Amino acid sequence: MTTAFSQLFRATALMATLAAPLATVPHSAAAQDGSPFQVVMRINDSVITRYEMDQRKLFLKLLRVPGDPEAEAMKGLTQDRLAAAQAKRFGLRLTQEQIDAGMEEFASRADLTAAEFVEALGEAGVSMETFRDFAGNGLLWRELVRGRYAGSFTISEAEIDRALVGGTVNTGMQLLLSELILPVEGDPEAQQALARQLRDEITTEDGFAAAARRYSASPSAGSGGRLDWTPTSELPPQIVELVLALGPGQVSEPVTLPNAVAVFQLRDVAEDASAAPEVQVEYAEFLMPNTPDVQAQAAALHTRVDGCKDLFAEARGLPESQLKVETRSVPELPADVALQLAQLDPGEYSTAITRGGARVFLMLCGRGPKVDGPIDREAIREQLISRRLTLLAEAYLEELRSEAIISTP
């Protein structure tokens, strides 16, 4: 199950196109405070219950969606109610076959069938109905947006040319960030709460640096969490999206990573004049016993190897799972791995990541542009259309929010 959810983390950039419950809960379902049916939000003539909030929070945690799970859950459920009301207004409904297909498509991102995915969710405490409604309302919202804006714009050949020349198909920017990484074992709720507290309290770069030195488990803690200029192409897309919404000096919402919760401070943004195609990296993960002297053992290992290829000799006779060498594009990387690799040069290593009872000796083998053959102009057109629709969809939702009556009990 864990593997499935970590695979799904790579698909969470698409989360904005998916939504949750189709059905609204009648006011009569509300019960006393503390009940699963306690009303936590009223939106026009529908409500959001505590049960739905708890289910959505758990679902987002399992998918490792960036941000504060409670805030993201409320934001998503509010969006869902507004979308469902708008669909009812236009008489838009989904067939059971469409919902089933949507569930299968979502589950396939983790190489699972819908039934297998539902079983995995159930083991973690998320109901089948939560997933069904999540996938179904995602399709409903997609239909609403496409129905409203289909044919309202076109992407010209000149726009595709500008995207290619200007590097805007891939993000051409550099970020100057500081990071604060809180290790997690089990439920991340306590570290989420600490991260939210730090985000609310920190108002300066010096304040963030002091907090990083005190709390962060990252190797950057000694320098106050400060990272060097990093191209956005080398960072997880989910984190890029989160920090680009900040102003200089502001601190991000907590980001849930595998075995960690992180917050970032944006110190500066600059255009990357050397913006290149999508970056791919080759890297090695060598698992070491997480003993008290593991840092010394890792340093000794690094003195014995000149690069990733030498790790195969170190792994001789060990289980095959002990060493993994892979080549992936940055968006395909788990977020915690991408963050560490972005700070390394070829041949350098990090031991910031733990996995189960092991410490990961993570080494960057090489980094370079991803080349997939001839330029596919239609694929670029689809990217630009998707971006335009995303912007229009956000404006559409803001319009619906402004017209709605939203209140808390």
Side-chain angles (χ1 to χ4, degrees):
M1 181 177 69
T2 302
T3 300
F5 291 134
S6 64
Q7 287 175 299
L8 264 178
F9 179 70
R10 298 198 296 269
T12 55
L14 301 176
M15 290 298 233
T17 64
L18 294 170
L22 283 166
T24 59
V25 180
H27 290 269
S28 59
Q32 299 297 317
D33 286 356
S35 162
F37 298 108
Q38 172 194 352
V39 175
V40 296
M41 180 76 75
R42 298 182 185 276
I43 304 167
N44 293 328
D45 59 352
S46 65
V47 300
I48 296 171
T49 66
R50 171 55 55 190
Y51 174 77
E52 291 173 295
M53 272 288 294
D54 291 342
Q55 282 279 294
R56 175 60 72 89
K57 280 173 59 179
L58 181 55
F59 191 45
L60 297 183
K61 286 181 181 180
L62 292 172
L63 295 179
R64 304 287 189 185
V65 175
D68 179 346
E70 180 148 359
E72 292 300 317
M74 181 57 77
K75 177 181 176 182
L77 289 168
T78 300
Q79 170 180 313
D80 299 340
R81 290 298 190 270
L82 295 172
Q86 197 72 352
K88 182 178 180 181
R89 174 186 171 191
F90 291 111
L92 180 61
R93 298 185 64 183
L94 298 176
T95 65
Q96 188 60 50
E97 289 75 14
Q98 287 174 305
I99 296 173
D100 290 343
M103 294 171 68
E104 289 290 351
E105 187 275 333
F106 193 89
S108 70
R109 303 177 196 178
D111 295 325
L112 298 173
T113 65
E116 291 169 334
F117 189 61
V118 166
E119 182 179 359
L121 289 173
E123 292 173 3
V126 175
S127 72
M128 182 277 291
E129 290 77 14
T130 294
F131 173 47
R132 178 202 64 198
D133 294 342
F134 180 90
N137 224 29
L139 294 172
L140 194 67
W141 175 241
R142 200 177 300 170
E143 290 297 315
L144 274 170
V145 172
R146 289 192 177 275
R148 179 173 175 126
Y149 296 110
S152 65
F153 66 90
T154 58
I155 301 298
S156 67
E157 294 300 314
E159 286 179 277
I160 295 175
D161 290 337
R162 285 196 295 272
L164 287 169
V165 173
T168 56
V169 176
N170 297 301
T171 309
M173 304 180 75
Q174 294 190 82
L175 300 177
L176 194 59
L177 298 175
S178 293
E179 64 175 3
L180 195 159
I181 311 295
L182 302 172
V184 169
E185 293 184 8
D187 192 332
E189 192 66 44
Q191 297 294 55
Q192 283 279 359
L194 175 58
R196 288 193 294 270
Q197 177 185 336
L198 293 173
R199 177 204 62 200
D200 293 340
E201 293 177 351
I202 294 170
T203 58
T204 65
E205 288 187 21
D206 288 343
F208 191 97
R213 292 189 184 96
R214 178 178 179 184
Y215 296 107
S216 183
S218 172
S220 64
S223 59
R226 293 183 177 90
L227 305 178
D228 293 331
W229 283 103
T230 306
T232 52
S233 59
E234 296 180 12
L235 291 167
Q238 302 90 340
I239 292 175
V240 172
E241 181 179 354
L242 193 68
V243 298
L244 283 179
L246 304 174
Q250 291 185 329
V251 179
S252 74
E253 295 285 339
V255 180
T256 302
L257 305 172
N259 302 313
V261 172
V263 289
F264 299 89
Q265 184 178 56
L266 178 64
R267 288 152 47 212
D268 204 355
V269 180
E271 291 186 7
D272 185 1
S274 60
E278 184 177 352
V279 172
Q280 68 179 13
V281 295
E282 182 183 14
Y283 66 100
E285 292 187 0
F286 184 65
L287 300 184
M288 305 178 68
N290 196 14
T291 56
D293 65 343
V294 67
Q295 299 297 345
Q297 294 291 333
L301 172 61
H302 191 231
T303 64
R304 298 196 300 269
V305 299
D306 293 325
C308 293
K309 64 181 184 300
D310 297 327
L311 289 172
F312 288 99
E314 296 286 336
R316 190 176 294 118
L318 297 175
E320 187 176 334
S321 60
Q322 200 90 6
L323 174 64
K324 178 177 70 175
V325 179
E326 292 193 322
T327 300
R328 294 189 189 182
S329 63
V330 170
E332 295 174 331
L333 294 170
D336 55 344
V337 173
L339 274 174
Q340 295 303 315
L341 291 177
Q343 302 170 49
L344 302 178
D345 289 326
E348 294 183 340
Y349 75 98
S350 166
T351 56
I353 298 172
T354 56
R355 199 158 290 149
R359 179 75 60 168
V360 179
F361 181 91
L362 179 69
M363 175 174 278
L364 177 62
C365 311
R367 179 188 289 120
K370 182 179 180 181
V371 179
D372 294 321
I375 295 172
D376 187 341
R377 295 180 67 86
E378 286 308 309
I380 295 172
R381 190 190 307 277
E382 287 301 315
Q383 287 185 44
L384 296 176
I385 289 173
S386 178
R387 288 184 183 181
R388 186 79 59 83
L389 283 173
T390 297
L391 292 173
L392 291 170
E394 289 173 356
Y396 188 16
L397 275 170
E398 283 304 315
E399 178 185 326
L400 295 179
R401 287 191 189 98
S402 67
E403 295 173 350
I405 301 174
I406 301 175
S407 63
T408 55

